[in-house]
Amino acid sequence: MAGDGGSGVDWESLAEATSGAIGSLVSTTVLYPLDTCKSKFQAELQTHHGAHKYRNLSDVFWEAIRKRQLLSLYQGLNTKNIQSFISSFFYFYGYSYFKRLYLEKSGAKSIGTTANLLVAAAAGACTVIVTQPLDTAASRMQTSAFGKSKGLRETLAEGTWMEAFDGLGISLILTCNPSIQYTAFDQLKQRIIQRQRRKNGVSAEDNSRVALSAFSAFLLGAVSKSIATVLTYPLIRCKVMIQAADPDEDDDNEPQRPSKPRAPKTMLGALHAIWSKEGIPGFFKGLHAQILKTVLSSALLLMIKEKISKFTWVSLLALRRYLFVSQKKIKAA
């Protein structure tokens, strides 16, 4: 595969990053109402009286309909899309770049599982630090009362600059989640491609790009994400609780309900609150919704990425050729 072509740009990593970012943008938009319902359901903590506003995920959806705020299921979508696009671009660029750098430095023909996990974790950590304020703002918008969500600037201005990084510690720990997912996906993908090459009689040295079918990419994405989600879910719920909008911003037209406890802003505080008020089942409250959302989102992302990666690569090659010719003309002039 071509490198930078002397232009100082890693075009291969750029193609991977662009394809991944576009896939993330589409999947985020399609599944956003489900994500909003999931986040509001996860953020709610049982009161001292044992009361729950939402008994299940559908209660959130019916609340939006009852209040004629169906479009509020999309509150924070623009911020989420910006965060999702930037996050996926940084992640796929970093993952592709670090992976290629490792192969060049080590001289290995393929990357092992351990090295792949480290590369994915490094890319994920860099991404989290850059996009955490956007992630926090999007979570606050989603968990605000229907119809009361503010804009990005207003949401971030409500707290200090440090509060924009609420949940950063958990986010860094959760970098193991996509690391497990994309490592499993990449390894399974290589096996399927090798099988396709053998079936088609193509040699392993042939560098022509082989794309997965849409169904294969979807299935691999679902399998690789579901396991990682189950293992890390207690931390996922803690992160939502930490980043959620304050309870006093919620419904003021339901005075008959007991006052909601303020969500703790530390990981240990969130874990203790869940344990003391909801017990062990509380650590997995909303797990089914999280699996549904993350599996569908990841599968759609990887499926779209696989289907447009070839087009993205060809487009960037054309752009590189245009820039190279333009530079030649400028130098000749």
Side-chain angles (χ1 to χ4, degrees):
M1 189 72 67
D4 58 12
S7 63
V9 178
D10 187 348
W11 293 94
E12 183 178 0
S13 297
L14 187 60
E16 287 288 311
T18 304
S19 301
I22 294 174
S24 177
L25 192 67
V26 175
S27 64
T28 297
T29 302
V30 171
L31 299 174
Y32 196 76
L34 173 62
D35 190 36
T36 298
C37 292
K38 173 196 69 69
S39 296
K40 290 179 75 68
F41 183 65
Q42 288 174 324
E44 187 200 24
L45 190 63
Q46 182 175 296
T47 67
H48 297 288
H49 303 278
H52 273 297
K53 180 179 179 181
Y54 305 122
R55 293 168 299 175
N56 49 58
L57 194 68
S58 62
D59 286 349
V60 184
F61 178 75
W62 288 116
E63 180 190 23
I65 293 180
R66 188 180 74 251
K67 295 183 177 180
R68 299 180 181 179
Q69 294 286 345
L70 196 59
L71 291 180
S72 292
L73 291 173
Y74 290 91
Q75 58 191 26
L77 175 59
N78 291 337
T79 300
K80 194 72 171 182
N81 273 337
I82 295 172
Q83 184 264 335
S84 181
F85 186 88
I86 295 175
S87 178
S88 292
F89 185 89
F90 267 87
Y91 182 84
F92 280 109
Y93 186 90
Y95 178 78
S96 179
Y97 177 79
F98 289 143
K99 178 181 176 181
R100 202 160 71 89
L101 187 63
Y102 170 83
L103 293 175
E104 291 176 355
K105 297 295 183 181
S106 64
K109 294 184 178 180
S110 61
I111 187 169
T113 303
T114 302
N116 211 346
L117 280 171
L118 292 175
V119 166
C126 294
T127 301
V128 163
I129 294 173
V130 172
T131 61
Q132 187 67 21
L134 289 173
D135 186 37
T136 300
S139 294
R140 289 177 184 171
M141 292 178 191
Q142 282 185 308
T143 54
S144 296
F146 286 127
K148 296 184 179 180
S149 177
K150 302 179 178 67
L152 173 59
R153 180 180 295 182
E154 293 173 306
T155 300
L156 290 177
E158 287 179 343
T160 64
W161 177 246
M162 291 299 295
E163 288 178 335
F165 288 88
D166 280 345
L168 177 60
I170 296 182
S171 295
L172 290 173
I173 297 175
L174 287 175
T175 55
C176 67
N177 192 306
S179 298
I180 295 172
Q181 176 204 351
Y182 291 121
T183 298
F185 181 88
D186 199 46
Q187 298 298 319
L188 292 172
K189 173 186 171 182
Q190 292 305 319
R191 292 189 179 186
I192 292 178
I193 288 178
Q194 289 174 7
R195 186 179 302 173
Q196 289 179 349
R197 287 181 183 275
R198 288 195 298 267
K199 184 178 180 180
N200 298 333
V202 180
S203 64
E205 288 75 19
D206 191 344
N207 290 327
S208 59
R209 297 174 68 85
V210 178
L212 291 175
S213 66
F215 178 76
S216 296
F218 186 93
L219 185 61
L220 290 185
V223 171
S224 60
K225 187 61 178 179
S226 58
I227 297 176
T229 300
V230 172
L231 293 177
T232 59
Y233 184 74
L235 291 180
I236 292 174
R237 192 190 172 199
C238 286
K239 177 172 173 284
V240 174
M241 291 173 59
I242 290 172
Q243 294 180 325
D246 290 334
D248 54 13
E249 295 178 7
D250 265 350
D251 292 325
D252 51 7
N253 58 348
E254 298 184 10
Q256 73 276 13
R257 295 191 181 275
S259 60
K260 302 177 184 178
R262 181 177 295 273
K265 295 298 183 181
T266 64
M267 182 176 68
L268 292 179
L271 289 172
H272 180 265
I274 294 173
W275 171 259
S276 61
K277 293 182 174 62
E278 299 177 349
I280 293 179
F283 290 112
F284 296 94
K285 176 185 175 182
L287 175 61
H288 62 292
Q290 185 72 32
I291 291 179
L292 177 62
K293 184 263 175 181
T294 53
V295 168
L296 288 177
S297 177
S298 299
L300 283 172
L301 185 157
L302 293 171
M303 180 182 70
I304 295 169
K305 176 179 175 292
E306 284 296 318
K307 301 309 293 184
I308 68 174
S309 60
K310 188 173 183 179
F311 171 78
T312 304
W313 176 247
V314 172
S315 300
L316 288 176
L317 284 179
L319 176 61
R320 183 179 66 172
R321 183 175 302 176
Y322 171 77
L323 294 175
F324 182 71
V325 172
S326 299
Q327 288 176 358
K328 274 192 169 182
K329 289 181 178 179
I330 292 174
K331 290 179 180 180

